[in-house]
Amino acid sequence: MAGPGDSERDVAEREGVERKAAQPADTAPALLSRTALAVFRLSGQFLAVSDRLARPVGLTAARWQVLGAVLGEPLSVARIARAMGITRQSVQRVADLLVADGLAEYRPNPAHRRAKLLAPTAEGRAAVGAISPGHRGFAGQLCEQLGGEAEFAAVADALRRLSEAVEALEDQHGQIRNR
């Protein structure tokens, strides 16, 4: 029951009614715009959280991201860039900084003489390892906020499918295929 001065929103929240924000008609262009804005916002949020988690060990989100990409195996800068969906030049700049700081090293690439492989040093592995407790803690909180692992997995799967769909619509030069 509404009390004096209660807004419709107050009443709806108290009654457990979820109100849907006004949205433009769900046409494909409107859905693309809504999705893009949500992904841009999420990207900024993830970068901010990553920076907060990495800062105590002297890393930035970008350095953590590049180091994380090569923990399993040494990779070329171009492969790291493709996997992350960012430019090779951006990865090269971060990789050079990691090498200069002793957190990574360049190794010979048997498949390509000029494209060296980036690999973490023991110091780089230790830095990433020091972030792990905070990462686990945030992951647990986010999982709980989303309603559990099944919901979190569904979100991750939807984002992967969206990324694959966008990739399928781009040609090898990054141009959008028009029908």
Side-chain angles (χ1 to χ4, degrees):
M1 170 166 237
D6 281 348
S7 69
E8 286 182 38
R9 181 178 179 172
D10 292 333
V11 173
E13 285 178 0
R14 198 169 35 254
E15 294 174 357
V17 176
E18 188 173 304
R19 295 170 49 94
K20 184 178 177 185
Q23 299 291 338
D26 282 339
T27 63
L31 289 168
L32 175 59
S33 294
R34 281 182 27 214
T35 302
L37 288 173
V39 169
F40 295 152
R41 181 171 186 225
L42 181 61
S43 176
Q45 290 170 319
F46 272 142
L47 287 173
V49 167
S50 296
D51 271 333
R52 283 194 300 274
L53 291 172
R55 189 176 304 123
V57 299
L59 293 178
T60 63
R63 289 179 182 208
W64 181 19
Q65 188 177 24
V66 171
L67 269 176
V70 296
L71 287 177
E73 67 175 316
L75 298 172
S76 69
V77 166
R79 281 197 52 202
I80 297 167
R82 276 193 303 275
M84 294 181 173
I86 56 179
T87 67
R88 188 195 60 72
Q89 293 83 356
S90 295
V91 174
Q92 186 68 63
R93 184 181 52 79
V94 172
D96 288 344
L97 292 170
L98 289 168
V99 169
D101 290 345
L103 298 170
E105 64 186 5
Y106 288 116
R107 295 182 181 169
N109 183 348
H112 194 285
R113 279 185 293 155
R114 289 181 38 214
K116 303 259 186 244
L117 299 175
L118 185 71
T121 61
E123 187 178 342
R125 286 184 183 282
V128 172
I131 297 170
S132 291
H135 180 261
R136 270 192 305 279
F138 182 75
Q141 291 172 348
L142 186 55
C143 186
E144 185 177 314
Q145 185 71 30
L146 287 169
E149 289 183 358
E151 287 297 318
F152 203 168
V155 169
D157 188 52
L159 290 171
R160 178 193 50 77
R161 287 190 345 260
L162 179 62
S163 177
E164 289 171 354
V166 170
E167 185 175 40
L169 295 175
E170 294 180 333
D171 68 18
Q172 63 186 7
H173 304 291
Q175 301 296 311
I176 302 298
R177 295 184 188 137
N178 290 318
R179 292 184 192 193

